[in-house]
Amino acid sequence: MIIGQVVGNVTATQKNPRFEGAKLLLVQPLTLDGNPQGDTVLAIDGVDAGVGDRVLVVLEGWSAAHVLRKPGSAVDAAVIGVIDEVELFSRE
Amino acid sequence: MARVIGTVVATVKNPTIEGTKILVLKNIDARRRTYGRAFVAFDSVGCGIGEEVYYVRGREACFPFLPEEVPSDTTIVGIIDRIYGSER
Protein backbone atom coordinates (compact mmCIF):
# COMPACT_ATOMS: atom_id res chain seq x y z
CA MET A 1 0.00 0.00 0.00
CA ILE A 2 1.07 3.63 -0.35
CA ILE A 3 0.49 6.81 1.59
CA GLY A 4 -1.00 9.66 -0.41
CA GLN A 5 -3.00 12.84 -0.20
CA VAL A 6 -6.39 13.34 -1.86
CA VAL A 7 -5.97 16.25 -4.28
CA GLY A 8 -9.24 16.01 -6.15
CA ASN A 9 -11.95 13.78 -7.53
CA VAL A 10 -13.13 12.74 -10.96
CA THR A 11 -16.64 12.36 -12.36
CA ALA A 12 -17.62 10.60 -15.59
CA THR A 13 -21.03 10.04 -17.09
CA GLN A 14 -20.01 7.65 -19.86
CA LYS A 15 -18.27 4.74 -18.15
CA ASN A 16 -18.18 1.05 -17.48
CA PRO A 17 -21.46 0.18 -15.71
CA ARG A 18 -19.65 -1.21 -12.70
CA PHE A 19 -18.47 2.28 -11.91
CA GLU A 20 -22.07 3.36 -11.24
CA GLY A 21 -22.15 4.92 -7.80
CA ALA A 22 -18.39 4.70 -7.34
CA LYS A 23 -16.60 7.82 -6.13
CA LEU A 24 -13.23 8.35 -7.84
CA LEU A 25 -10.50 10.16 -5.92
CA LEU A 26 -7.33 11.68 -7.34
CA VAL A 27 -4.49 10.81 -4.94
CA GLN A 28 -0.92 12.18 -4.94
CA PRO A 29 1.50 9.62 -3.48
CA LEU A 30 3.69 11.08 -0.72
CA THR A 31 7.10 10.32 0.80
CA LEU A 32 7.24 9.73 4.55
CA ASP A 33 8.15 13.40 4.91
CA GLY A 34 4.95 14.37 3.13
CA ASN A 35 6.52 15.44 -0.16
CA PRO A 36 4.85 14.53 -3.47
CA GLN A 37 6.43 11.43 -5.04
CA GLY A 38 5.48 10.04 -8.44
CA ASP A 39 2.34 10.29 -10.52
CA THR A 40 -1.15 10.86 -9.18
CA VAL A 41 -3.31 7.76 -8.81
CA LEU A 42 -7.02 7.42 -9.55
CA ALA A 43 -8.59 5.31 -6.80
CA ILE A 44 -12.05 4.14 -5.73
CA ASP A 45 -13.10 5.86 -2.52
CA GLY A 46 -13.82 3.26 0.13
CA VAL A 47 -13.91 5.54 3.17
CA ASP A 48 -15.57 8.83 2.12
CA ALA A 49 -12.23 10.62 2.13
CA GLY A 50 -12.19 14.32 1.31
CA VAL A 51 -9.75 16.54 -0.56
CA GLY A 52 -6.69 17.17 1.61
CA ASP A 53 -7.03 13.95 3.61
CA ARG A 54 -3.92 11.81 3.97
CA VAL A 55 -4.98 8.33 2.94
CA LEU A 56 -3.87 4.70 2.63
CA VAL A 57 -4.25 3.36 -0.92
CA VAL A 58 -4.18 -0.31 -1.98
CA LEU A 59 -2.79 -0.74 -5.52
CA GLU A 60 -4.21 -4.10 -6.51
CA GLY A 61 -7.30 -4.97 -8.54
CA TRP A 62 -8.77 -7.86 -6.57
CA SER A 63 -8.73 -5.83 -3.37
CA ALA A 64 -9.97 -2.67 -5.07
CA ALA A 65 -12.93 -4.57 -6.53
CA HIS A 66 -13.79 -5.83 -3.05
CA VAL A 67 -13.72 -2.29 -1.71
CA LEU A 68 -16.18 -1.43 -4.47
CA ARG A 69 -18.14 -4.54 -3.42
CA LYS A 70 -18.34 -5.57 -7.08
CA PRO A 71 -15.87 -8.44 -7.58
CA GLY A 72 -14.54 -8.63 -11.10
CA SER A 73 -14.72 -4.89 -11.70
CA ALA A 74 -12.16 -3.17 -13.85
CA VAL A 75 -10.55 -1.29 -10.95
CA ASP A 76 -6.97 -1.40 -9.71
CA ALA A 77 -6.69 1.01 -6.77
CA ALA A 78 -8.80 1.95 -3.78
CA VAL A 79 -8.58 4.22 -0.75
CA ILE A 80 -8.96 1.96 2.29
CA GLY A 81 -8.20 4.30 5.16
CA VAL A 82 -7.80 7.89 6.29
CA ILE A 83 -4.43 8.15 8.03
CA ASP A 84 -4.48 9.59 11.54
CA GLU A 85 -0.82 9.15 12.31
CA VAL A 86 2.41 7.72 10.88
CA GLU A 87 4.96 6.94 13.60
CA LEU A 88 8.53 6.38 12.46
CA PHE A 89 11.03 4.63 14.68
CA SER A 90 13.98 4.86 12.34
CA ARG A 91 14.73 6.14 8.84
CA GLU A 92 16.57 3.00 7.84
CA MET B 1 12.74 -8.77 2.51
CA ALA B 2 12.35 -5.58 4.51
CA ARG B 3 12.84 -3.92 7.86
CA VAL B 4 9.90 -2.57 9.88
CA ILE B 5 10.64 1.14 10.41
CA GLY B 6 7.28 2.46 11.60
CA THR B 7 3.55 2.10 12.13
CA VAL B 8 0.47 3.68 10.57
CA VAL B 9 -2.68 4.49 12.50
CA ALA B 10 -5.65 4.93 10.15
CA THR B 11 -9.40 5.23 10.43
CA VAL B 12 -10.71 2.45 8.28
CA LYS B 13 -14.23 1.50 7.29
CA ASN B 14 -13.60 -2.13 6.60
CA PRO B 15 -14.02 -3.97 9.95
CA THR B 16 -11.63 -6.71 8.94
CA ILE B 17 -8.72 -4.25 8.70
CA GLU B 18 -9.44 -2.77 12.12
CA GLY B 19 -7.58 -5.47 14.03
CA THR B 20 -4.68 -5.67 11.63
CA LYS B 21 -1.41 -3.88 12.27
CA ILE B 22 -0.35 -1.49 9.49
CA LEU B 23 3.43 -1.12 9.26
CA VAL B 24 5.92 1.03 7.35
CA LEU B 25 8.67 -1.03 5.67
CA LYS B 26 11.88 -0.40 3.80
CA ASN B 27 13.44 -3.11 1.61
CA ILE B 28 16.71 -4.71 2.72
CA ASP B 29 19.24 -6.53 0.54
CA ALA B 30 21.00 -9.82 1.36
CA ARG B 31 23.42 -7.84 3.53
CA ARG B 32 20.54 -6.31 5.50
CA ARG B 33 21.13 -2.82 4.06
CA THR B 34 17.96 -0.79 3.37
CA TYR B 35 17.27 0.63 -0.08
CA GLY B 36 14.47 2.26 -2.10
CA ARG B 37 11.26 3.92 -1.05
CA ALA B 38 9.39 3.16 2.15
CA PHE B 39 6.02 1.46 1.68
CA VAL B 40 3.14 0.14 3.77
CA ALA B 41 2.17 -3.46 4.57
CA PHE B 42 -0.33 -5.34 6.69
CA ASP B 43 1.09 -7.69 9.32
CA SER B 44 -0.14 -11.28 9.45
CA VAL B 45 2.50 -12.80 11.75
CA GLY B 46 2.79 -10.44 14.73
CA CYS B 47 6.09 -8.76 13.97
CA GLY B 48 7.52 -5.78 15.82
CA ILE B 49 9.30 -2.54 15.05
CA GLY B 50 12.87 -2.92 13.78
CA GLU B 51 12.40 -6.58 12.90
CA GLU B 52 13.44 -7.97 9.54
CA VAL B 53 10.63 -9.64 7.70
CA TYR B 54 9.62 -11.03 4.34
CA TYR B 55 6.39 -10.15 2.60
CA VAL B 56 4.18 -11.08 -0.34
CA ARG B 57 2.78 -8.59 -2.88
CA GLY B 58 -0.14 -8.45 -5.29
CA ARG B 59 -3.38 -10.35 -5.06
CA GLU B 60 -1.79 -13.09 -2.98
CA ALA B 61 -1.30 -10.50 -0.22
CA CYS B 62 -4.92 -11.06 0.78
CA PHE B 63 -4.57 -14.83 1.15
CA PRO B 64 -3.06 -14.93 4.69
CA PHE B 65 -6.24 -13.30 5.98
CA LEU B 66 -8.78 -15.49 4.16
CA PRO B 67 -11.66 -16.10 4.74
CA GLU B 68 -11.50 -12.55 6.09
CA GLU B 69 -11.52 -10.01 3.24
CA VAL B 70 -8.54 -7.71 3.88
CA PRO B 71 -7.84 -5.44 0.88
CA SER B 72 -4.04 -5.71 0.88
CA ASP B 73 -1.41 -5.52 -1.85
CA THR B 74 1.50 -6.14 0.56
CA THR B 75 1.40 -8.49 3.57
CA ILE B 76 4.17 -9.56 5.94
CA VAL B 77 4.21 -13.36 6.05
CA GLY B 78 7.43 -14.17 7.93
CA ILE B 79 9.95 -12.85 10.45
CA ILE B 80 13.57 -13.44 9.41
CA ASP B 81 15.85 -15.13 11.95
CA ARG B 82 18.98 -15.10 9.90
CA ILE B 83 20.11 -14.62 6.30
CA TYR B 84 22.76 -17.14 5.23
CA GLY B 85 25.09 -16.66 2.32
CA SER B 86 25.20 -12.90 2.59
CA GLU B 87 28.69 -12.77 4.03
CA ARG B 88 30.33 -12.58 0.60
Side-chain angles (χ1 to χ4, degrees):
Chain A
M1 277 69 68
I2 61 164
I3 294 169
Q5 182 164 42
V6 180
V7 293
N9 50 58
V10 169
T11 57
T13 39
Q14 201 167 333
K15 58 197 169 194
N16 177 294
R18 291 207 174 213
F19 281 87
E20 282 312 327
K23 201 173 138 204
L24 292 175
L25 296 175
L26 208 52
V27 180
Q28 169 59 58
L30 300 176
T31 64
L32 291 179
D33 309 323
N35 302 314
Q37 168 181 259
D39 304 333
T40 51
V41 170
L42 199 56
I44 299 288
D45 180 14
V47 290
D48 297 331
V51 173
D53 283 352
R54 208 168 43 149
V55 292
L56 191 62
V57 185
V58 62
L59 299 175
E60 195 275 319
W62 198 60
S63 303
H66 272 283
V67 170
L68 191 56
R69 276 189 280 286
K70 293 178 186 159
S73 307
V75 294
D76 59 8
V79 173
I80 56 171
V82 174
I83 292 178
D84 302 317
E85 193 200 341
V86 175
E87 209 181 336
L88 281 185
F89 294 85
S90 76
R91 281 265 148 212
E92 292 303 307
Chain B
M1 297 189 303
R3 181 171 300 136
V4 180
I5 63 169
T7 60
V8 174
V9 177
T11 313
V12 293
K13 256 221 169 129
N14 180 325
T16 50
I17 311 177
E18 230 132 69
T20 310
K21 256 193 297 183
I22 308 173
L23 299 169
V24 182
L25 302 181
K26 209 162 188 184
N27 277 322
I28 55 170
D29 63 18
R31 298 219 181 127
R32 304 171 61 232
R33 292 170 307 192
T34 56
Y35 65 91
R37 292 181 185 167
F39 55 95
V40 177
F42 283 115
D43 173 33
S44 75
V45 288
C47 66
I49 301 303
E51 286 199 294
E52 285 155 3
V53 296
Y54 57 93
Y55 57 88
V56 62
R57 292 184 51 187
R59 177 181 177 182
E60 290 70 22
C62 315
F63 292 174
F65 301 105
L66 289 178
E68 294 285 335
E69 298 290 351
V70 174
S72 173
D73 62 26
T74 311
T75 301
I76 296 165
V77 287
I79 301 172
I80 295 173
D81 295 333
R82 190 166 162 217
I83 303 172
Y84 297 86
S86 60
E87 296 81 11
R88 268 187 310 284

